[in-house]
Amino acid sequence: MLTIYLSMLDTEQERQKMTDLYEEHKYALLNYVMTIIRNQDMAEDAVHNAFISIIEKKKNI
């Protein structure tokens, strides 16, 4: 999944920040979403959508 997110970014600096963010938070997000949804596939989709949203919002900042 990380490669998908990185392909959406323009600079190496953005890619490095996204890599750090993803590696630092992916499991915490997944664990949190699992407490709410209790379905692995849906939780993974929600986390994926969260990272996509972060990238899209970055472009607005």
Side-chain angles (χ1 to χ4, degrees):
M1 285 299 193
L2 182 58
T3 55
I4 294 170
Y5 309 136
L6 296 180
S7 70
M8 297 174 67
L9 299 169
D10 299 324
T11 67
E12 187 59 36
Q13 182 181 14
E14 291 174 340
R15 290 184 192 103
Q16 186 59 50
K17 285 182 181 181
M18 186 62 190
T19 300
D20 294 343
L21 181 74
Y22 180 79
E23 290 176 355
E24 186 174 338
H25 297 288
K26 68 179 176 180
Y27 292 116
L29 284 172
L30 187 58
N31 287 333
Y32 179 72
V33 174
M34 281 294 294
T35 64
I36 298 168
I37 297 177
R38 300 189 190 279
N39 178 299
Q40 184 74 30
D41 292 332
M42 291 177 70
E44 289 174 0
D45 286 345
V47 171
H48 173 72
N49 289 336
F51 281 111
I52 296 294
S53 180
I54 290 168
I55 291 170
E56 289 173 348
K57 299 293 183 204
K58 182 242 16 135
K59 294 178 181 179
N60 294 334
I61 296 174

